[in-house]
Amino acid sequence: MNLRHGALRAALLAALLATAGPAAAEGVLLTLTGAVRDGRVELTRADLEAMDWHQFATSTSVTSHRPEFRGVLMRDILAEAGAEGTSVRATALNDYVVEIPIEDFHRFDVLLALSMDGVPLTPRDKGPVWIVYPRDDHAILADIRYDMRWVWQLVALHVQ
Amino acid sequence: MTGPREWIRYLGLGGLVMICLSFLGLAAWQLVQLVQLERQMRISATENMIWVFSQTQIEALNLALALSEGAAPQQVLTRFDVLVSRLTLLEEGPQRRFLEGAGLSGALSGWRNGLLALDPARGGDPEALQAHVTALVSALRSRASQVMSEEWQIQAARLDRLGHLHRLALVSVLGSALAGLGLAVILIDRERRLMWGRLDRLRAEKLASDLEREREISENHRRFADLIAHQLRTPLAVIDSAMHRLTRRGGGPVTAELISEKAAVSREAVARLVKLTDTAMMMSRLERGGVLAHLSAHDLRELVVFAIDEQVVAAKDRDPSRIRQSLPSVPMVALCDPALTGEILSNLLCNALLYSPLDGFVDVEVSQSQSHIICRIEDRGSGMSPDEMVCAFDRFHRGSGHETLPGSGLGLTLARQLARMQGGEVTLVPRSGGGLTAALSLPREVSV
């Protein structure tokens, strides 16, 4: 029972933050904080669309087929934001938080996916942005330790 | 050769090999099963249905809370979006299959469409939405325990299978070990039998060679006895004839000359007998290993001169002046036993004189090579054919056409054996111009 209450409180807090935070500002899809240019960088869909897009198909742990993902490489986004650090703390819409070593983005072509199978991702699915690893290109990625880093409904990255 | 016991051993061996192979097959099958199971467990770890389901529950509660507290429309919309995304997730491949397996897909289908029909972004009725979400919360709550129970059922079944595979692995390891042990025992047993067989064969070979040796010795004794008997007869007959002549009645008076002549004949016959018995005794001692060479430095020239002198004393009927010596002026020092060397020289000289025509010379010369002192004795007899040369050193061999001449057939055999005992050798080669050259070589004394 305690657990449930705890979760509920956390969710409430997140809801409050979501309303109060500028992340919810119109058009902003991703907010980078921490060791980035000027301590804060906000990226809108237009910002992301202006960057180089990449695509690949891969199996995922939550789908049966191999969807085709399109989006921007995570390393390009970090470069765009002038990020300097060793890891990012990714936060999702539902307050899911996970730390990802920045090394991952250089070892693998990790994508910040904006569309799946040609359909833009929405918050009602796993969007608007989803961190996607090229799971089928590297055997090591078919592992729960990497699956944890597939953050969907990503809203914020804190570089440290 | 293969008796029933052998067949049983072969069958046992084949059986054990089969058992080993089948356990290996079992182990391979288990490996495949374990890999599959491991893969399933990895996928299952990723699915983590309890977490997915509880997240859905929490998001439903969050939306219910936002609606009941009259939160801002933007906030309600965010909670709505997140809840829809969770329900979308539940309807996707792996999650849907799990819920179908648990018999929950029916109870949970339709909620997402119900929600979307009341979408606040499209002006859905907030009260109807609240009622729908409340009903969803209640539906999720009643299914949560089922999801957990299903997940743990699956986990428990996997653990059971894992345990089963572990037991099977244990059985196959034990079985393989036992079969391997059996194989090892059989192989060791075979090896042991082979070794015993080899030992038996060696023993049999040794017995056969011992028997052959005994036969040879026995044959030698027989031939020796024959020969001695034969060789004894001639001198004995000579003596008997001499005695007969001296005691014959009516043959006139026995003159002093006649007595002297017959005495000489008899003495020579006796000398021959003595020589024969000496050779026989020497051979016998040699065979028993009773002759030892006492090696020391000796000038071979002196030994040769001494041997020639002996011949001169012993041989009355033949002219020993036929022996021509050609000795170098410097000492020819060999490492040898003087008694044995004298015996060899005497034998070789005796032969040379015996097989030469009465007026033929016998040449004796001594020389040295890098490592040996060599004494060559050349006769002008009829020589030997190559075949005869091959068996000249065989025991009891007599030169062809010379069977009537006195001799034991042991002389050359003895000479060679005695030479070898001193690290030397006796050889026979044809002499250019007829006859034979007998050569005795003895090691030179190594000057310190």
Side-chain angles (χ1 to χ4, degrees):
Chain A
M1 291 307 275
N2 265 337
L3 200 83
R4 191 175 293 174
H5 278 147
L8 196 67
R9 250 199 306 279
L12 270 172
L13 195 68
L16 283 169
L17 277 173
T19 30
E26 200 62 47
V28 174
L29 289 192
L30 185 63
T31 307
L32 290 103
T33 54
V36 292
R37 199 185 317 111
D38 302 331
R40 183 181 188 88
V41 173
E42 292 183 345
L43 297 172
T44 62
R45 182 172 293 274
D47 292 333
L48 292 172
E49 276 174 357
M51 294 171 73
D52 283 342
W53 278 45
H54 294 80
Q55 64 183 62
F56 57 74
T58 181
S59 62
T60 81
S61 66
V62 291
T63 57
S64 298
H65 67 299
R66 289 177 79 234
E68 170 93 19
F69 292 100
R70 293 191 73 236
V72 186
L73 287 178
M74 281 297 284
R75 58 171 173 268
D76 290 351
I77 287 171
L78 292 180
E80 173 83 13
E84 287 172 359
T86 54
S87 74
V88 294
R89 199 173 66 229
T91 308
L93 206 53
N94 67 329
D95 302 318
Y96 178 83
V97 175
V98 71
E99 287 231 357
I100 306 174
I102 285 179
E103 188 202 347
D104 274 16
F105 308 138
H106 296 288
R107 270 177 81 191
F108 316 112
D109 292 337
V110 182
L111 211 60
L112 187 76
L114 285 105
S115 86
M116 178 167 81
D117 291 332
V119 180
L121 289 162
T122 70
R124 292 186 181 182
D125 191 359
K126 296 175 188 65
V129 286
W130 184 4
I131 295 178
V132 173
Y133 278 72
R135 202 176 195 261
D136 297 349
D137 295 346
H138 306 273
I140 192 178
L141 294 180
D143 189 293
I144 182 72
R145 280 161 289 195
Y146 283 100
D147 286 335
M148 280 172 15
R149 299 174 188 173
W150 289 51
V151 182
W152 64 65
Q153 296 176 322
L154 178 72
V155 289
L157 288 174
H158 183 77
V159 182
Q160 51 201 4
Chain B
M1 284 304 282
T2 38
R5 281 174 59 85
E6 200 72 11
W7 276 113
I8 287 169
R9 255 205 312 280
Y10 279 129
L11 277 180
L13 201 64
L16 284 171
V17 168
M18 288 299 292
I19 289 172
C20 267
L21 285 178
S22 50
F23 276 118
L24 275 179
L26 189 62
W29 177 78
Q30 281 160 7
L31 196 66
V32 171
Q33 296 285 308
L34 277 172
V35 166
Q36 278 177 1
L37 194 65
E38 191 249 349
R39 212 169 140 257
Q40 275 179 3
M41 290 178 92
R42 265 180 192 279
I43 292 169
S44 145
T46 324
E47 281 170 6
N48 194 6
M49 273 307 287
I50 294 177
W51 188 81
V52 170
F53 204 81
S54 70
Q55 284 294 306
T56 314
Q57 256 184 299
I58 288 166
E59 294 308 335
L61 281 168
N62 280 345
L63 180 56
L65 196 68
L67 285 169
S68 68
E69 287 178 347
Q74 180 58 44
Q75 195 191 339
V76 170
L77 198 60
T78 303
R79 298 333 311 171
F80 183 87
D81 285 350
V82 174
L83 178 58
V84 170
S85 83
R86 293 299 173 269
L87 288 171
T88 308
L89 186 65
L90 284 182
E91 285 182 8
E92 275 171 341
Q95 293 74 237
R96 198 186 63 236
R97 274 197 300 279
F98 178 92
L99 293 174
E100 277 169 0
L104 291 172
S105 63
L108 292 174
S109 71
W111 289 103
R112 183 169 168 271
N113 287 338
L115 269 182
L116 287 175
L118 298 165
D119 189 348
R122 294 184 186 174
D125 178 10
E127 298 214 348
L129 179 62
Q130 192 170 3
H132 189 74
V133 171
T134 310
L136 173 60
V137 166
S138 155
L140 288 172
R141 189 189 299 138
S142 65
R143 303 294 189 272
S145 55
Q146 267 173 280
V147 168
M148 187 191 74
S149 135
E150 174 72 10
E151 184 145 332
W152 284 114
Q153 285 287 348
I154 291 171
Q155 286 297 347
R158 278 180 191 142
L159 286 173
D160 281 353
R161 210 167 136 227
L162 194 64
H164 181 63
L165 284 174
H166 281 163
R167 277 191 296 279
L168 265 181
L170 197 67
V171 166
S172 55
V173 164
L174 277 177
S176 306
L178 281 177
L181 200 68
L183 270 178
V185 165
I186 286 187
L187 288 176
I188 288 170
D189 184 55
R190 285 173 66 87
E191 201 56 35
R192 201 174 53 88
R193 273 162 207 282
L194 277 176
M195 211 157 76
W196 278 117
R198 223 174 288 141
L199 272 180
D200 282 350
R201 206 165 54 240
L202 282 177
R203 239 177 256 139
E205 274 168 14
K206 168 117 175 45
L207 276 177
S209 87
D210 284 357
L211 188 64
E212 186 55 36
R213 218 171 88 85
E214 284 303 316
R215 268 208 202 108
E216 203 177 303
I217 288 171
S218 155
E219 173 67 10
N220 281 347
H221 284 160
R222 194 188 58 73
R223 286 171 72 179
F224 188 58
D226 285 357
L227 194 89
I228 295 297
H230 179 74
Q231 292 297 325
L232 284 177
R233 276 188 69 84
T234 317
L236 286 175
V238 169
I239 295 165
D240 183 54
S241 146
M243 291 305 130
H244 186 71
R245 175 66 190 88
L246 288 178
T247 54
R248 194 172 54 191
R249 276 168 296 175
V254 178
T255 62
E257 289 78 24
L258 189 63
I259 291 174
S260 167
E261 182 198 330
K262 293 302 171 193
V265 169
S266 300
R267 284 201 63 207
E268 203 219 318
V270 168
R272 208 179 295 159
L273 283 174
V274 169
K275 171 78 185 148
L276 193 64
T277 43
D278 281 353
T279 305
M281 275 168 68
M282 178 66 97
M283 203 67 207
S284 168
R285 278 173 60 206
L286 258 183
E287 275 180 350
R288 277 186 284 116
V291 179
L292 291 175
H294 302 284
L295 302 180
S296 50
H298 292 277
D299 188 347
L300 195 63
R301 293 179 309 166
E302 289 171 11
L303 295 175
V304 168
V305 169
F306 188 74
I308 292 172
D309 288 351
E310 260 195 344
Q311 290 299 316
V312 173
V313 173
K316 287 282 179 349
D317 61 335
R318 285 160 188 273
D319 183 5
S321 63
R322 290 187 294 147
I323 300 176
R324 296 192 301 198
Q325 304 174 24
S326 158
L327 305 176
S329 54
V330 291
M332 298 277 120
V333 183
L335 194 62
C336 62
D337 181 311
L340 302 183
T341 306
E343 181 73 25
I344 298 166
L345 290 170
S346 139
N347 260 308
L348 296 180
L349 282 169
C350 211
N351 275 347
L353 291 171
L354 193 63
Y355 294 111
S356 290
L358 284 174
D359 54 352
F361 284 107
V362 168
D363 289 314
V364 178
E365 59 150 54
V366 175
S367 62
Q368 63 182 358
S369 73
Q370 191 91 24
S371 54
H372 286 81
I373 304 291
I374 300 144
C375 172
R376 289 194 178 78
I377 298 165
E378 300 180 347
D379 68 53
R380 287 167 174 72
S382 53
M384 282 185 183
S385 69
D387 286 347
E388 281 182 311
M389 205 85 85
V390 170
C391 48
F393 289 95
D394 287 355
R395 215 177 270 251
F396 306 127
H397 176 83
R398 301 295 315 279
S400 66
H402 302 298
E403 287 83 359
T404 53
L405 287 175
S408 58
L410 287 170
L412 277 177
T413 317
L414 191 66
R416 176 169 268 185
Q417 281 201 26
L418 292 176
R420 286 182 178 175
M421 280 175 70
Q422 303 171 76
E425 182 59 290
V426 171
T427 53
L428 278 183
V429 287
R431 192 188 79 95
S432 54
L436 283 176
T437 299
L440 163 67
S441 58
L442 289 167
R444 282 177 70 168
E445 191 214 10
V446 184
S447 45
V448 183

